[in-house]
Amino acid sequence: LELGHNLILAEGVAALAGSSSLVELRELGLGKMGFHDAAVLALCGKSRFKSLRKLDLTANGVGAAGARA
């Protein structure tokens, strides 16, 4: 699922992560969306993406806290 270059804030990422419709998702592209650590923490904290093998966070403002998540 490629969502890069869209304006989805931390709340939108949290909603995406909590979606039961995406449990089998294998790839998720979130590059160049302008979000920071809060969005990554929301994604990892609620994630149902047990099958996710590739996560693209290119060109976002992700810092150390987001990278650790």
Side-chain angles (χ1 to χ4, degrees):
L1 178 61
E2 180 57 54
L3 297 174
H5 300 276
N6 286 292
L7 182 59
I8 300 176
L9 303 175
E11 296 83 11
V13 172
L16 181 70
S19 173
S20 61
S21 301
L22 301 175
V23 276
E24 297 298 321
L25 191 67
R26 298 185 60 78
E27 295 185 9
L28 180 57
L30 300 173
K32 298 182 181 179
M33 295 181 66
F35 59 67
H36 300 279
D37 290 339
V40 178
L41 293 170
L43 179 66
C44 295
K46 290 186 173 182
S47 184
R48 296 183 180 188
F49 303 139
K50 304 301 180 200
S51 299
L52 193 65
R53 299 295 177 254
K54 181 181 177 185
L55 176 60
D56 179 7
L57 297 172
T58 304
N60 284 296
V62 178
R68 280 191 299 272

